[in-house]
Amino acid sequence: VRIWRLIDGKCVQTLLGHKNYVWCIDVSQDGDYIATCSWDETCRIWARSGKLLAAIGGHDDRVTHCRFVPDGDLLATASMDCTAKLWTLTGKCIKTYRKNDFGLQSLCWSLTGYELILGSVDGGVKVWEVPLGGKPEAKKQDSYDVTAMPEICKDQQTKKKPNL
């Protein structure tokens, strides 16, 4: 992973460690942490300085997506092993969400940071509610068809429950 300064196009930092394609990168909201995930079945959490803080190896297939929770103290990962996981910044897995028999290729947090939205290769979208405070237990699980996603996103912006 290379970090570039946009003003002059200079590479200012290189983060080494993955052994296969780096598929997704995210930066915490405060800019203090960088997460990278790879087809080598790992996710890594780096300090802004470039120091490796955690090398996470809890998935059994390619890790396709990673996102920090909006307040920055948890990281979610999605994998082709059909799971999403919540991690502490030290790399401890605190919850595994099982989607179904299809690999996960994307995820995002809702605007409130209390819903984890997962997209799978079969075109399905699943929404997991994470209780206040980012605790790992899911309170409910809803499934949506991917064709409903524009309505879900619109309703998230207005903070209404999706009308499906």
Side-chain angles (χ1 to χ4, degrees), residues 28-164:
S28 64
Q29 201 168 37
D30 61 11
D32 289 342
Y33 303 100
I34 300 166
T36 58
C37 64
S38 170
W39 281 22
D40 66 6
E41 302 179 9
T42 70
C43 182
R44 295 175 186 269
I45 301 174
W46 312 82
R48 183 180 6 189
S49 67
K51 178 183 177 186
L52 179 63
L53 300 176
I56 300 167
H59 285 287
D60 296 324
D61 202 338
R62 295 162 289 181
V63 183
T64 55
H65 223 89
C66 57
R67 286 287 175 254
F68 287 102
V69 71
D71 69 7
D73 60 0
L74 293 176
L75 178 74
T77 57
S79 172
M80 293 303 286
D81 69 3
C82 307
T83 66
K85 295 179 181 276
L86 283 180
W87 307 90
T88 65
L89 296 182
T90 60
K92 178 183 175 190
C93 182
I94 57 174
K95 179 67 181 178
T96 297
Y97 297 95
R98 299 203 182 280
K99 202 290 187 188
N100 54 24
D101 293 333
F102 297 97
L104 298 173
Q105 68 182 43
S106 61
L107 66 81
C108 69
W109 290 98
S110 67
L111 295 176
T112 63
Y114 301 121
E115 291 179 310
L116 183 60
I117 305 164
L118 307 171
S120 62
V121 296
D122 68 337
V125 174
K126 191 161 280 202
V127 178
W128 289 86
E129 186 172 304
V130 179
L132 294 175
K135 300 295 182 202
E137 294 301 317
K139 290 197 286 192
K140 72 173 184 176
Q141 173 184 346
D142 294 322
S143 293
Y144 303 107
D145 186 274
V146 73
T147 57
M149 252 344 257
E151 187 68 23
I152 292 170
C153 293
K154 180 180 139 193
D155 288 337
Q156 282 181 358
Q157 290 173 355
T158 60
K159 297 188 178 168
K160 294 179 185 173
K161 185 110 173 128
N163 185 16
L164 302 175

Side-chain angles (χ1 to χ4, degrees), residues 16-27:
L16 299 174
H18 285 293
K19 294 174 177 49
N20 206 326
Y21 300 115
V22 173
W23 202 247
C24 184
I25 300 168
D26 193 32
V27 178

